[in-house]
Amino acid sequence: MVKPTNTSAITKATNRPWDDWVAALDAAGAREMNHGDIAKQALKLMPEPVEQKGWWAQGVAIAYEQHTGLRIPGQSSDGDFRTSTSKTFPGDKDAALKAWLELVGTRDEFNGIDTEEAASTSETAKWRYWRVQLVDGSRVNVNISDKPNGKASIAVEHTKLGSSDDIETWRPYWKELLSELEFR
């Protein structure tokens, strides 16, 4: 079941009560639709003055899927599970990537699970990335970007988890690892 705070945010942003969203999507046959089609339907039903309609349509679709049991919290539209956590640090994205690399070094396991291969890094003008595949089939993506006032955001996303229980195992692990980061 979707968390009540999610539906209250949707109600506030769209000026449409959550029960009205459920009724409208049910009437459109959304219980038989995939995620993309539910999101398209939510977009069609989005009230005109709503800002960021596409973003809110995605939120409505996810909340509806959770509300109706089509997916559980933490489950992607593909059926796998994912978790993420982030932290803001002083310094720019390059300093943040350097700190992350110093912390994880050449590790060949995380939380007792071996890596499939060596981690990789890449970059764009706005982002720095670090990625690794684990032998259990899951994947870890670290996305780093600049924030205002000389800060950087490091976000860890762990995808392709096998169950919602895996979320409860991995989220605290990544939070703890992020808390160990040091900027020099």
Side-chain angles (χ1 to χ4, degrees):
M1 182 61 126
V2 69
K3 295 177 185 173
T5 54
N6 293 347
T7 57
S8 64
I10 290 168
T11 296
K12 182 177 178 182
T14 64
N15 200 30
R16 175 174 280 162
W18 178 244
D19 290 342
D20 289 359
W21 276 112
V22 172
L25 289 169
D26 280 348
R31 289 181 194 249
E32 305 303 319
M33 296 178 185
N34 65 30
H35 171 78
D37 290 339
I38 295 170
K40 287 175 188 172
Q41 188 62 42
L43 186 59
K44 288 179 189 174
L45 297 167
M46 194 64 56
E48 192 54 42
V50 173
E51 294 183 21
Q52 299 178 317
K53 288 181 174 111
W55 191 86
W56 283 108
Q58 287 292 326
V60 167
I62 291 167
Y64 177 81
E65 288 169 315
Q66 291 173 352
H67 178 88
T68 58
L70 296 172
R71 101 162 70 169
I72 61 175
Q75 188 176 30
S76 75
S77 60
D78 295 332
D80 67 343
F81 294 84
R82 62 185 62 203
T83 187
S84 63
T85 188
S86 64
K87 192 158 188 174
T88 301
F89 296 97
D92 67 12
K93 62 186 173 290
D94 292 317
L97 176 60
K98 181 180 178 191
W100 176 258
L101 292 174
E102 287 175 3
L103 177 64
V104 300
T106 57
R107 289 184 191 203
D108 58 3
E109 67 82 27
F110 291 90
N111 204 20
I113 306 296
D114 290 339
T115 60
E116 184 77 30
E117 56 200 29
S120 65
T121 59
S122 61
E123 65 181 64
T124 66
K126 291 185 177 185
W127 295 90
R128 302 297 180 259
Y129 304 99
W130 178 93
R131 297 178 179 97
V132 71
Q133 178 86 29
L134 302 181
V135 297
D136 65 358
S138 67
R139 184 160 185 80
V140 182
N141 304 301
V142 176
N143 305 316
I144 304 169
S145 64
D146 287 329
K147 292 183 69 93
N149 303 317
K151 295 180 181 180
S153 172
I154 299 180
V156 178
E157 180 184 35
H158 195 148
T159 62
K160 300 194 180 294
L161 296 171
S163 71
S164 60
D165 291 340
D166 290 341
I167 294 170
E168 301 311 314
T169 299
W170 284 102
R171 181 179 287 137
Y173 175 81
W174 294 118
K175 283 186 177 198
E176 175 63 29
L177 198 60
L178 281 176
S179 75
E180 296 173 18
L181 274 175
E182 294 181 21
F183 284 90
R184 297 182 170 104

